[in-house]
Amino acid sequence: MKNIIHNINKAFDHRIRLGIMSILVVNEFADFKMLKELLGVTDGNLASHTKALEKEAYINVEKSFIGRKPNTKYSVTKKGRDAFKKHVEAIEKLLKQ
Amino acid sequence: MKNIIHNINKAFDHRIRLGIMSILVVNEFADFKMLKELLGVTDGNLASHTKALEKEAYINVEKSFIGRKPNTKYSVTKKGRDAFKKHVEAIEKLLKQ
DNA sequence: TTAAAGTACTTTGAATTTCAAAGTAAATAA
DNA sequence: TTATTTACTTTGAAATTCAAAGTACTTTAA
């Protein structure tokens, strides 16, 4: 092992992204509005954090219309779930040393 | 409760600062060299993160000489220990739902 | 039926944060 | 003596965070 924080994933190392992932690993889907309300963040801020997770292929983004309104649904990918599990284990290990 | 991440402390919301605090809550003191080696970070980077924690009064900085060499010892303050406990509880709660 | 307000995002770029390279000052090794 | 190492600090470029403003509708109200 290199050092005590080397298994902490930079992509999840921010409270908003940690929150997004925490929501997505227990809910098959969450839409923009739901994430925004659960996290208490501004629109632009949420958009940039979801974009960062999407860029790493940790989450999936699906755009559709519900009735006549646009709707964006986020879900976690297999890669994201695996990486997040590792990250959580790394945090737990760090906090329990 | 406002939202699911509102108890996460921004001051600890970075892997290096999380690592510094994790070390300091279990070791009465840690010096610059020890933190640097345990965390695997560059000097300047470590300095800026310890400075950020010091600014919040979460850690104490004591400068002295060991033999004829400068030595900087860091320790956690009561305020830091309490705030960190809250932070860890917030993370655990977030990850457990 | 036109106007005003609301919804669901996206874009933009200023402010803040992160980070390592370079600097400082003294100790030790060659 | 000169070079290298140690233990930090300073600096500022680069990356990230964040909210204000923008876009493109939809809904409500007069």
Side-chain angles (χ1 to χ4, degrees):
Chain A
M1 215 218 270
K2 285 189 149 191
N3 62 63
I4 65 170
I5 56 170
H6 85 115
N7 276 320
I8 291 188
N9 191 333
K10 270 192 77 171
F12 303 135
D13 192 21
H14 185 278
R15 66 201 184 288
I16 297 177
R17 292 191 300 274
L18 196 78
I20 293 169
M21 291 304 291
S22 298
I23 291 164
L24 292 183
V25 292
V26 295
N27 297 277
E28 189 147 12
F29 293 98
D31 62 19
F32 193 89
K33 197 187 172 190
M34 179 179 170
L35 291 179
K36 190 175 128 121
E37 281 171 2
L38 287 172
L39 299 167
V41 294
T42 56
D43 297 4
N45 200 0
L46 178 56
S48 52
H49 286 293
T50 51
K51 191 177 271 180
L53 292 170
E54 194 193 354
K55 199 178 148 198
E56 299 293 323
Y58 289 155
I59 66 171
N60 231 311
V61 183
E62 249 176 273
K63 277 159 194 304
S64 65
F65 281 86
I66 290 185
R68 322 191 48 140
K69 289 186 185 174
N71 183 262
T72 306
K73 266 183 180 165
Y74 301 94
S75 59
V76 68
T77 61
K78 172 79 163 72
K79 187 183 174 191
R81 191 176 294 272
D82 292 349
F84 190 63
K85 194 180 170 218
K86 270 199 167 184
H87 177 74
V88 171
E89 282 164 3
I91 287 178
E92 281 169 350
K93 195 176 174 186
L94 175 64
L95 296 178
K96 256 187 274 162
Q97 43 110 27
Chain B
M1 213 216 275
K2 283 189 152 194
N3 61 63
I4 65 169
I5 56 171
H6 85 116
N7 276 320
I8 291 189
N9 191 332
K10 270 193 76 170
F12 302 136
D13 192 22
H14 186 279
R15 66 201 184 288
I16 297 177
R17 293 191 300 273
L18 196 78
I20 293 169
M21 292 304 292
S22 299
I23 291 164
L24 293 182
V25 291
V26 295
N27 297 276
E28 191 146 13
F29 292 98
D31 62 19
F32 193 89
K33 196 186 174 193
M34 179 180 170
L35 290 179
K36 189 175 127 114
E37 282 170 0
L38 287 172
L39 298 168
V41 293
T42 57
D43 297 4
N45 200 0
L46 178 57
S48 52
H49 286 293
T50 51
K51 189 175 272 178
L53 291 170
E54 194 194 356
K55 199 179 149 198
E56 300 292 324
Y58 289 155
I59 66 171
N60 232 311
V61 183
E62 249 177 273
K63 278 158 194 301
S64 65
F65 281 85
I66 290 185
R68 323 192 46 145
K69 289 187 186 174
N71 183 262
T72 305
K73 267 184 180 164
Y74 301 95
S75 59
V76 69
T77 61
K78 170 79 163 71
K79 187 184 173 190
R81 191 177 294 274
D82 291 349
F84 190 62
K85 195 183 169 215
K86 268 199 169 184
H87 177 76
V88 170
E89 283 164 2
I91 286 178
E92 282 169 350
K93 195 176 173 187
L94 175 63
L95 295 178
K96 255 186 278 160
Q97 276 310 316

